[in-house]
Amino acid sequence: MADKAKKKDGGIVETIKTIVYALLIAGVFRTLFFQPFWIPSGSMKDTLLIGDFLFVNKMTYGYSYASCPSIRIPAVGINIDAKNLCGWLDGDNTRILGGEPERGDVVVFRHPVTGFDFIKRLIGLPGDKVQIIAGVVHINGEAVKLEDGGLFEETAGPQGPQRLRPRCENGPVGDGGLCVKSRQIETLPGGVSHAILNITNQGSDNTGVYTVPEGHYFFMGDNRDNSTDSRVPQAARGVGFVPYENLIGRADRIMFSSAGKSMFAFWTWRSDRFFKGIY
């Protein structure tokens, strides 16, 4: 009986050790190489849709305190912030093995105020002057190139686990109706081209001049009228200018995409988005 008890206890210990080792390996992998990210909102349509699942390349820009993952599981009361794990790297706005982001990159970064992970497109580099006039981005006094990109169409109704409803250019649309937005192809200085969407004319379509400080970046969502980004100052709970050390990594490729409430609902996966490049 004693031998059986010892074997049982030993088996439990080995199981716990295996789980701990697996978590440590996963934590190292997520911290140093690739971090999974699931798109929760429509601010980057149609480049990224609600339910897209991707891995963020952390090696591109090097490492800072923001490279440590925050562990948030509200259901069980777990809320471990990246600063709790790697706060000793915070404060000097530098990075280890740092690489410079390029204009047009789609970047996951740590929100300077809330600490939550955001994903947006890099529009303004340090020293740039950025202004939006009648919905057109101007960088250092020059309007970006725009071409007609047709229409973006989707079915109106609750989307993703948060059950967010899309805003439509063709007015309020009932569930199951066709929600339409105008699409344009925007080409930034340096040659990166991508689609942007328009819903309506609103205050964020006309702004003052933002002068990007050294060591900071200016981000915008591709779904321009449905994005909280650098156009909103941090004092108003917006993104404002993002410090270099807050960058987490670059989003390069969608692995798969779920149109349902959960990424595990494989019957709702979008067949046309497997391993789709992000541009």
Side-chain angles (χ1 to χ4, degrees):
M1 293 294 292
D3 289 341
K4 286 185 179 181
K6 285 183 180 180
K7 286 183 179 180
K8 183 177 180 181
D9 291 343
I12 292 173
V13 170
E14 287 302 315
T15 300
I16 293 173
K17 286 169 64 176
T18 300
I19 293 172
V20 170
Y21 291 152
L23 290 174
L24 287 174
I25 292 170
V28 170
F29 182 85
R30 181 174 176 176
T31 299
L32 296 181
F33 303 111
F34 297 96
Q35 177 174 317
F37 193 86
W38 194 32
I39 302 301
S41 74
S43 68
M44 282 294 292
K45 290 178 181 178
D46 65 341
T47 304
L48 298 172
L49 303 180
I50 294 176
D52 283 351
F53 181 83
L54 51 90
F55 282 99
V56 179
N57 186 343
K58 289 191 165 184
M59 296 175 284
T60 308
Y61 308 136
Y63 307 97
S64 71
Y65 85 95
S67 300
C68 283
S70 295
I71 304 172
R72 295 188 173 95
I73 311 175
V76 294
I78 295 177
N79 185 12
I80 304 174
D81 190 79
K83 282 191 175 182
N84 300 131
L85 299 173
C86 297
W88 56 277
L89 286 171
D90 183 24
D92 58 2
N93 202 26
T94 60
R95 306 182 71 86
I96 299 170
L97 303 176
E100 294 296 327
E102 298 181 2
R103 195 192 315 275
D105 284 357
V106 176
V107 180
V108 173
F109 58 87
R110 178 183 167 92
H111 192 292
V113 178
T114 68
F116 286 95
D117 293 349
F118 268 44
I119 185 166
K120 307 288 180 185
R121 189 176 298 276
L122 199 164
I123 300 295
L125 300 173
D128 280 346
K129 295 184 183 296
V130 181
Q131 184 176 22
I132 294 84
I133 303 173
V136 180
V137 174
H138 290 65
I139 300 176
N140 298 323
E142 296 290 331
V144 300
K145 180 182 176 183
L146 290 174
E147 300 176 87
D148 180 58
L151 296 174
F152 171 73
E153 299 178 345
E154 60 184 336
T155 302
Q159 299 178 350
Q162 300 181 49
R163 312 311 289 155
L164 301 176
R165 296 187 61 85
R167 294 175 61 201
C168 311
E169 189 177 7
N170 55 328
V173 178
D175 286 358
L178 188 64
C179 178
V180 178
K181 300 175 181 66
S182 297
R183 181 198 281 122
Q184 293 176 299
I185 305 302
E186 178 181 84
T187 301
L188 299 171
V192 174
S193 295
H194 56 276
I196 61 171
L197 302 182
N198 180 71
I199 301 170
T200 186
N201 295 319
Q202 57 186 43
S204 57
D205 289 330
N206 291 280
T207 72
V209 177
Y210 303 94
T211 301
V212 186
E214 288 301 315
H216 291 72
Y217 299 90
F218 188 94
F219 289 91
M220 295 178 69
D222 289 348
N223 191 1
R224 291 289 161 81
D225 294 334
N226 196 45
S227 174
T228 299
D229 48 40
S230 291
R231 290 171 289 180
V232 182
Q234 293 171 13
R237 303 290 289 179
V239 172
F241 302 121
V242 177
Y244 180 45
E245 66 180 352
N246 280 47
L247 306 186
I248 294 174
R250 187 180 66 202
D252 293 326
R253 189 169 299 276
I254 299 163
M255 303 308 293
F256 66 88
S257 181
S258 172
K261 294 182 182 180
S262 168
M263 66 179 178
F264 299 110
F266 62 88
W267 56 90
T268 67
W269 288 3
R270 302 175 175 108
S271 60
D272 61 335
R273 297 184 74 78
F274 283 102
F275 310 112
K276 181 180 175 65
I278 299 172
Y279 305 105

